[in-house]
Amino acid sequence: MENSGYKILLVDDEPDILEFLGYNIRREGYVVFTAGNGKDAVAIAKREKPQLIILDVMMPDMDGIETCREIRAIDGLKNVMVAFLTARSEDYSQIAGFEVGADDYINKPIKPRVLLSRIAALLRRHSNSPEEDLNGKINLGGLKIDREKYIVVKNDLEINLPKKEFELLALLASKPGKVFTREVILDSVWGDDVVVGDRTIDVHIRKLREKLGENFIKTVKGIGYKFEF
């Protein structure tokens, strides 16, 4: 089947959920691995290199947040897609997940059709992730980003951006569709040495939209921003 080239790792401390999810996902032809805790999940992920990890937030010993943090620290797994399973709808749990590198959230109770649709969308994002060549250039269709020269080219028109605007754009464009929280943006672009507020991010986003158009950078209310193309 066409999905047989994709490996998916399911992580949940409830065997019934693993069986239910695994059955529905395998029916679509995906190769499925399961883990009942975070420690086993990290070991299986290192060994199998899945394209997608579906990870429960609430687990004993090592919860989903810590598991995701450990997975993201492994060189070969930095670009794996991670979707959290959660029965919690509070914003703070989603923000915590996005801060450690989550790509999406799937809420319990889980409907098979919704789950399979989200999986397909996540794997499309994984397949369409921009490739950075040896010269540090990223091609996003109509937009090209040259990390070495700090230059952006849109439809063959060169756009020179100030350093922080460029770094902000490069961060968001590094994973199209992924939500970057304000905290992650501040840490990645400005670091700990400079004290800036949320208003600083908003101003830089506004300037980028003025130069690139309104379609590339989307606001995720209460959380942060994401890049789409």
Side-chain angles (χ1 to χ4, degrees), residues 75-128:
D75 285 339
L77 297 172
K78 290 184 183 296
N79 293 320
V80 64
M81 304 298 288
V82 177
F84 277 119
L85 290 176
T86 179
R88 299 165 60 181
S89 59
E90 298 95 329
D91 287 342
Y92 75 84
S93 68
Q94 292 201 14
I95 292 172
F98 285 128
E99 285 178 348
V100 296
D103 294 288
D104 200 1
Y105 264 81
I106 301 172
N107 292 319
K108 296 179 180 178
I110 302 160
K111 298 179 180 179
R113 285 187 179 180
V114 174
L115 172 67
L116 294 171
S117 176
R118 297 286 279 278
I119 287 173
L122 284 163
L123 291 174
R124 280 196 301 272
R125 279 170 54 186
H126 182 275
S127 299
N128 293 332

Side-chain angles (χ1 to χ4, degrees), residues 51-93:
Q51 285 81 28
L52 170 63
I53 299 174
I54 300 176
L55 180 61
D56 188 34
V57 172
M58 301 298 292
M59 295 187 296
D61 300 324
M62 183 190 292
D63 66 14
I65 303 295
E66 182 58 32
T67 302
C68 184
R69 183 181 289 111
E70 288 204 14
I71 287 170
R72 288 297 189 214
I74 299 169
D75 285 339
L77 297 172
K78 290 184 183 296
N79 293 320
V80 64
M81 304 298 288
V82 177
F84 277 119
L85 290 176
T86 179
R88 299 165 60 181
S89 59
E90 298 95 329
D91 287 342
Y92 75 84
S93 68

Side-chain angles (χ1 to χ4, degrees), residues 116-156:
L116 294 171
S117 176
R118 297 286 279 278
I119 287 173
L122 284 163
L123 291 174
R124 280 196 301 272
R125 279 170 54 186
H126 182 275
S127 299
N128 293 332
S129 293
E131 293 294 332
E132 185 171 342
D133 66 20
L134 295 177
N135 296 317
K137 297 178 182 178
I138 297 177
N139 192 332
L140 297 159
L143 203 65
K144 297 179 181 179
I145 300 174
D146 188 327
R147 289 180 180 270
E148 290 190 353
K149 296 181 179 180
Y150 278 73
I151 291 174
V152 175
V153 177
K154 179 187 177 186
N155 298 329
D156 297 325

Side-chain angles (χ1 to χ4, degrees), residues 23-47:
Y23 171 75
N24 282 280
I25 296 172
R26 287 188 182 96
R27 285 182 61 189
E28 297 299 307
Y30 297 107
V31 177
V32 178
F33 301 91
T34 61
N37 57 70
K39 183 178 179 180
D40 288 348
V42 173
I44 294 171
K46 288 172 68 174
R47 184 182 73 237

Side-chain angles (χ1 to χ4, degrees), residues 154-170:
K154 179 187 177 186
N155 298 329
D156 297 325
L157 178 64
E158 185 175 302
I159 303 172
N160 290 296
L161 299 176
K163 185 171 184 289
K164 291 303 181 186
E165 286 182 30
F166 180 90
E167 291 177 350
L168 174 55
L169 174 63

